[in-house]
Amino acid sequence: MSKIIDIIDKDSHANLNQYNKNVLDTPSIVFIENKVKSNLSRIINLKTGSNPRILFALKPLTFLGFLRFVPRYLDGFAASSLFEATLARELIGDGGIVNFTTPGLRPSEVDQIFGLCDYVSFNSLNQVAWYLNPTIQKIKYGLRVNPGISFVKDQRYNPSREASKLGVPLAQLVSALSNGAHTQLEHISGLHFHNNCDSTDLSQLLKTVKQIELHISDFLSKLEWINLGGGYIFQEAASLDPLYEAVDLLQKKYALEVFIEPGAAIVRDAGYIVSSVLDIFESDGKTIAVLDTTVNHMPEVFEYQYEPDVIGHVEGGKYKYILAGCSCLAGDVFGEYTFNEPLEVGSRVVFSGMGAYTLVKANMFNGINLPTIYSLREDGELVLEKQFTYEDFASRCGVETHDLA
Ligand SMILES: *Cc1c(COP(=O)(O)O)cnc(C)c1O
C-alpha cells in the first residue's frame, strides 16, 4: 500500500516524500498540482516569439480544486455550455476572458450566456441569424468554421469529419459572403476553428490556417480576432515553428488577436486513478483481477475501446491479468496487462494519463460510487478534495434528502 505514492512520485517526478503514505482511499483520482503547473508554464512559454492569448478549454476537466490557479497563468477559459460558462466566470471573476461556442445554443439560455461571455462564436449561419444581437456591444461575435481538412483518423474524434455538425463549412461561408444575403455577417469580428485531437504535429495547424486564408482572405482582413482551438499537445510537439508561423501570419498580415484553447494538454498527464484489487480468479485459462474502479470512471476506455496505461505493466512480464472493472457490465474490462510482480487481493493498480475526460464523464452507473478526489499540493501535502456519498447518488435517483434517515 505504501508503495502507491512512491509509484506516482516516480512517474510524475513529484516530490511527495513527506507525505504520510497510508491514507489513500480507493478508488481515487489523484491530481499532481506540480504537473498542472509545469504544463501551464510550458504552455505559456509558447508566447515566446509569438503572442497568442491562451485559454483553458474546460471540457476535459471542470473540478474546481485543480483549476484554482489557472487564472494566474492563462488569459481565461473556453466554455461550451451555460454551466461551463458560469463556472468559468466564477473562477476568473471580471479579470479574464470567457470564450464560448456550441452547436447546441438554445433560446432559453442565450441571454444568460451572453451575460457571462466576452467572445461568442456561432456554430452555424442559423445561429447568426437567430441570436446575433448587435446592440449587445460587450460581446465580440465570431463564427466557427469547419476548415474541411481532417487530421484525425477516428471519425468519432474528428471535428472535420464528413457531414460534420461543428462549424460552418468553408464553402458555405464563401457563398454566404459573396451572395450578400446574410447581412448579419457584418457584425462578426472573429473566427473560430478547432479541427484536431491529441496531435503533436503543429504543421497541421499551419496547414489549416493556410486553407482558411486560401478561401476567405478578404474576410480575414476585416476581422479582429481568431481562435485556433485546442486539440494539440503543444508541449510535446517536435517543433513549435509552425505555430509561430501561423500566429505571425495572422498577426502581421491580418492584424488579428490570436487565441489558442488547449484542454487535455494541460491536465491529462497530471491525473492518476488509483484502485485496489478486490478479487482474483481463473476464467477460461485467464486470470481475472477485479478492481474497485470501473470503466464508469473513465468512460472513454469503453466508448473508444482503448487500453489505458497502467503503471508497472511491462511487455512480456511474468504475471498476466485481465484487469476488470467492478460493475456488472460484461465489457467493463480495461485489457490484458503483464507485470513483473504478482497482484494480490488488496494490491494497488494505478492508471496514468487520467487527468482529462475522466472525472467530467464519470458516472454512478450500477450504483458504484465516483472516485474520491485528492490533490497533491505543491508542498507535497495530499489533500482530500471531495468524497462522494450515497446522498450524491440518491439525489440523482430522485430521493429527497429528508427521506434518507
Ligand atoms: C474539446 C475542445 C477543445 C479542447 O480540446 P483538447 O483536445 O482537450 O485540447 C478546445 N476547443 C473546442 C471548441 C473543443 O470542443
Side-chain angles (χ1 to χ4, degrees):
M1 186 195 253
S2 70
K3 268 168 43 189
I4 198 64
I5 290 299
D6 295 335
I7 289 167
I8 297 178
D9 202 355
K10 207 162 143 215
D11 189 71
S12 66
H13 307 289
N15 178 18
L16 314 171
N17 297 330
Q18 328 142 40
Y19 164 64
N20 168 4
K21 295 175 176 177
N22 292 319
V23 263
L24 196 71
D25 205 14
T26 72
S28 52
I29 183 158
V30 181
F31 267 80
I32 314 284
E33 199 170 278
N34 273 333
K35 264 261 156 154
V36 182
K37 286 189 173 165
S38 85
N39 286 335
L40 285 165
S41 315
R42 286 160 78 186
I43 297 231
I44 19 181
N45 283 337
L46 298 177
K47 289 196 174 191
T48 327
S50 69
N51 200 26
R53 303 190 86 173
I54 305 175
L55 311 170
F56 175 66
L58 280 167
K59 195 172 78 218
L61 182 73
T62 49
F63 191 75
L64 214 74
F66 314 135
L67 300 176
R68 282 173 299 116
F69 41 82
V70 170
R72 263 190 269 145
Y73 291 80
L74 305 185
D75 299 293
F77 291 95
S80 286
S81 63
L82 174 59
F83 288 177
E84 280 187 359
T86 309
L87 187 77
R89 191 48 80 198
E90 199 156 314
L91 276 159
I92 208 158
D94 292 329
I97 296 165
V98 180
N99 268 37
F100 189 90
T101 189
T102 176
L105 207 52
R106 58 186 73 198
S108 59
E109 294 178 351
V110 162
D111 288 348
Q112 268 174 292
I113 288 167
F114 284 8
L116 290 161
C117 298
D118 307 293
Y119 293 74
V120 174
S121 294
F122 295 112
N123 186 68
S124 69
L125 294 172
N126 281 336
Q127 283 191 352
V128 174
W130 295 335
Y131 303 122
L132 191 152
N133 179 353
T135 65
I136 307 177
Q137 293 189 347
K138 77 164 188 94
I139 296 183
K140 298 196 179 194
Y141 293 109
L143 199 60
R144 178 170 183 171
V145 290
N146 171 5
I149 34 176
S150 298
F151 303 106
V152 186
K153 289 208 180 68
D154 185 333
Q155 295 309 301
R156 295 169 299 181
Y157 284 110
N158 182 5
S160 286
R161 62 194 266 165
E162 207 184 315
S164 174
K165 66 178 181 189
L166 298 168
V168 181
L170 263 186
Q172 199 179 103
L173 178 57
V174 169
S175 69
L177 289 168
S178 67
N179 73 22
H182 296 268
T183 52
Q184 298 277 72
L185 286 175
E186 68 192 57
H187 301 292
I188 295 288
S189 64
L191 218 56
H192 177 282
F193 70 82
H194 168 77
N195 70 330
N196 221 328
C197 180
D198 289 348
S199 173
T200 54
D201 180 0
L202 288 162
S203 71
Q204 298 170 339
L205 183 73
L206 181 60
K207 212 182 263 182
T208 307
V209 167
K210 294 208 161 148
Q211 165 87 346
I212 289 170
E213 186 188 25
L214 183 69
H215 288 86
I216 50 168
S217 76
D218 286 352
F219 189 50
L220 278 184
S221 317
K222 292 183 191 144
L223 300 177
E224 292 166 26
W225 58 275
I226 186 165
N227 184 333
L228 313 181
Y232 292 88
I233 310 296
F234 291 93
Q235 72 272 39
E236 286 177 19
S239 167
L240 293 172
D241 292 344
L243 169 70
Y244 298 150
E245 197 182 323
V247 175
D248 247 32
L249 171 78
L250 296 164
Q251 284 176 342
K252 299 217 169 100
K253 188 164 169 194
Y254 296 98
L256 295 173
E257 177 184 32
V258 182
F259 292 93
I260 56 173
E261 47 181 25
I266 292 169
V267 291
R268 179 177 288 126
D269 65 358
Y272 294 81
I273 286 183
V274 182
S275 64
S276 299
V277 176
L278 293 176
D279 196 1
I280 299 183
F281 56 85
E282 305 292 314
S283 177
D284 288 331
K286 306 255 185 190
T287 309
I288 316 293
V290 179
L291 307 180
D292 61 2
T293 185
T294 150
V295 292
N296 307 353
H297 298 157
M298 36 185 131
E300 291 196 339
V301 167
F302 188 75
E303 289 167 25
Y304 302 111
Q305 294 291 306
Y306 80 94
E307 293 196 354
D309 291 334
V310 170
I311 295 178
H313 163 71
V314 283
E315 285 305 327
K318 188 169 169 202
Y319 302 94
K320 194 174 195 176
Y321 303 90
I322 290 179
L323 296 182
C326 59
S327 78
C328 293
L329 173 69
D332 182 0
V333 168
F334 301 103
E336 202 161 28
Y337 294 83
T338 51
F339 301 92
N340 285 331
E341 305 286 330
L343 293 178
E344 293 160 14
V345 169
S347 296
R348 298 294 176 95
V349 171
V350 184
F351 296 86
S352 58
M354 288 287 137
Y357 301 108
T358 48
L359 203 50
V360 282
K361 290 189 149 201
N363 61 70
M364 289 191 179
F365 168 67
N366 222 184
I368 296 162
N369 200 1
L370 295 170
T372 301
I373 306 174
Y374 293 96
S375 60
L376 280 157
R377 295 278 167 88
E378 212 163 11
D379 58 6
E381 190 192 355
L382 186 80
V383 176
L384 191 155
E385 299 274 2
K386 188 161 174 76
Q387 194 156 27
F388 297 92
T389 62
Y390 172 69
E391 279 76 5
D392 294 305
F393 176 62
S395 78
R396 286 184 55 177
C397 297
V399 178
E400 301 289 336
T401 318
H402 59 258
D403 290 343
L404 285 176

